[in-house]
Amino acid sequence: MDLRHTMKGRRALAAVAITTGLLLTVSGCGGGDGGDKPSGTSTSQSSKGGGNKPQASSTPSQETALAEVKGGDITLTVTSAVRDQGGYVTLSGKVTNGGGQFWIASNWRGDERELSGNGASLAGASLIDSKGKKKYLVLRDTQGRCLCTKFDGGGVEAGQSADWFAQFPAPPADTTNVDFQVGSMPPASIQISDGE
């Protein structure tokens, strides 16, 4: 009976996460910033070494972002990290391909070899709780598919952005600061807020 209630809760949480992602997508369409290209405000902050080495940006751009990190032409922005009453944390944000070629999200998927349903997704993302010395992985459903975004077409077109979300088990209530990491991107330090 407990397993059934747990699965109902997970399904409800997945529905909430998907709805949140859709709302973020709809609200992002009304921006009207007048350009199709990402803002070039961070070019003056690039490191002197150059190259494709991942870099963490010290100032978030555009929306009220919790964190923003760069790796080569890819910019990952975290706009929300909410803990809910069911013991989960849902992160959401945007990934932007600032390069001239299609970006394939293959190194962001999980390490599972027996599952094919996670393809180009955030299945390999994790939350690091330094205080509690724990690493939290993206939740999976009963078929092993991640409770996270799966990128249409396997990635993001050049000059385009895509919204994303990922759901994790929540760290203890007194832990509010964690690091979010996916693929070869540098860790993004974020603060978890409590949901309603």
Side-chain angles (χ1 to χ4, degrees):
M1 190 72 171
D2 288 334
L3 180 60
R4 196 161 129 201
H5 288 298
T6 301
M7 293 311 296
K8 275 185 167 179
R10 285 186 180 175
R11 280 190 214 113
L13 236 83
V16 167
I18 290 169
T19 303
T20 302
L22 290 173
L23 287 173
L24 287 172
T25 301
V26 170
S27 66
C29 290
D33 63 351
D36 293 322
K37 296 181 182 176
S39 171
T41 57
S42 63
T43 55
S44 63
Q45 296 176 356
S46 62
S47 78
K48 294 175 185 168
N52 288 333
K53 187 176 178 184
Q55 305 171 350
S57 174
S58 59
T59 56
S61 67
Q62 295 177 349
E63 308 168 23
T64 29
L66 298 177
E68 183 178 275
V69 292
K70 286 190 76 161
D73 294 328
I74 303 304
T75 302
L76 175 78
T77 305
V78 181
T79 56
S80 173
V82 180
R83 180 193 318 262
D84 70 12
Q85 299 296 329
Y88 305 103
V89 172
T90 303
L91 271 66
S92 59
K94 189 176 290 278
V95 60
T96 303
N97 180 357
Q101 297 179 1
F102 183 81
W103 170 73
I104 300 171
S106 60
N107 75 340
W108 286 20
R109 65 180 176 208
D111 292 333
E112 307 95 343
R113 298 291 177 239
E114 66 279 359
L115 300 172
S116 61
N118 288 325
S121 68
L122 273 89
S126 61
L127 285 182
I128 308 295
D129 171 11
S130 298
K131 179 181 173 184
K133 297 184 168 78
K134 288 192 177 182
K135 179 178 184 177
Y136 297 91
L137 304 177
V138 175
L139 292 169
R140 304 299 202 258
D141 67 13
T142 55
Q143 280 80 41
R145 292 182 299 256
C146 73
L147 298 180
C148 66
T149 297
K150 294 162 190 73
F151 295 103
D152 291 336
V156 180
E157 292 287 345
Q160 299 294 313
S161 295
D163 292 323
W164 62 268
F165 83 94
Q167 198 168 42
F168 300 88
D174 62 341
T175 299
T176 55
N177 295 312
V178 293
D179 288 334
F180 172 71
Q181 173 128 38
V182 62
S184 59
M185 300 296 283
S189 296
I190 58 171
Q191 186 169 16
I192 299 171
S193 60
D194 290 325
E196 296 175 9

